[in-house]
Every structure is written in C-alpha cells, then in structure tokens.
C-alpha cells in the first residue's frame, strides 16, 4: 500500500506540473482528445480546456465541445510532448524507489 501511495503521489505531482500544457488523452474506448490540462486531482481525473477530438468524423457529437472532464479510471494513455517531460526528475524518483526497495 505504501508503494502504491508513493507511485500515485508521483504521478499526481508530475501531471500537476503539466497544468497549462497541451496533451492528448487516449481513453479506453479509443477516443483521443487533445487539449490543455486545466487541473488534475489525486485520482488522476483531468479537466481539459480548448479540446479537439482526434477523429471528428467518428465523434461528431463532440466537435462543438470546448472543455471536458475525464475520469482517471477511463484513461489509457496521456501523450505528452517530449519537451514537457523532465527526464531527470523521473530518473531521480526511480533511483530513490529502487534504493528504498533494497
């Protein structure tokens, strides 16, 4: 449980650093939405603004939607532009976790 809490906190903290950045969220139902992260909570629920649906012809009913809330449990992937990934922070956190397991 303690390790799970640490990992969840790490992901939450990481995604909070991306508030204001543009990402593409891919959901378990294959819907992909690109937008700016407005907020993220401890359950990894995300609020996106200025959204665009990746396949507007397939999801025509979402074309006019500008903002949305995505429940964390339905997210498959969050595609993040490489320039927004702090590799040093991730490597450091991984080293700390590995050291704690020894």
């Amino acid at each position: 449980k303690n390790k799970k809490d640490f990992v969840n906190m790490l992901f939450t903290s990481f995604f909070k650093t991306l508030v204001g950045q543009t990402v593409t969220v891919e959901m378990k139902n294959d819907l992909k939405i690109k937008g700016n992260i407005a907020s993220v909570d401890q359950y990894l629920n995300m609020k996106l603004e200025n959204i665009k649906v990746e396949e507007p012809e397939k999801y025509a009913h979402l074309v006019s939607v500008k903002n949305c809330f995505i429940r964390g449990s339905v997210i498959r992937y969050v595609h993040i532009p490489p320039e927004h990934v702090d590799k040093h922070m991730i490597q450091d956190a991984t080293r700390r976790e590995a050291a704690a397991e020894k």
Side-chain angles (χ1 to χ4, degrees):
K1 177 145 172 82
N2 205 4
K3 182 178 178 181
K4 185 179 175 186
D5 290 342
F6 172 76
V7 171
N8 190 36
M9 183 181 71
L10 182 66
F11 274 106
T12 302
S13 298
F14 174 70
F15 282 114
K16 284 187 178 190
T17 68
L18 295 174
V19 168
Q21 303 299 329
T22 301
V23 297
T24 300
V25 178
E26 181 178 335
M27 285 165 259
K28 292 177 182 176
N29 67 356
D30 297 324
L31 170 63
K32 293 180 188 172
I33 297 177
K34 185 175 188 171
N36 300 328
I37 298 178
S39 64
V40 181
D41 68 14
Q42 72 268 27
Y43 304 106
L44 301 179
N45 297 321
M46 291 188 181
K47 190 171 167 184
L48 297 182
E49 297 177 336
N50 303 316
I51 67 164
K52 291 208 181 335
V53 178
E54 292 264 323
E55 298 177 82
E57 62 286 344
K58 189 174 178 183
Y59 301 101
H61 60 288
L62 295 174
V63 171
S64 63
V65 176
K66 297 296 172 211
N67 304 314
C68 69
F69 176 85
I70 303 171
R71 186 178 167 106
S73 64
V74 302
I75 295 174
R76 179 183 293 147
Y77 300 116
V78 178
H79 302 274
I80 304 164
E83 64 270 17
H84 298 305
V85 178
D86 185 344
K87 294 180 199 120
H88 298 295
M89 179 193 74
I90 294 170
Q91 290 168 346
D92 187 47
T94 304
R95 280 190 207 100
R96 278 193 307 236
E97 184 179 341
E101 288 180 359
K102 290 182 181 180

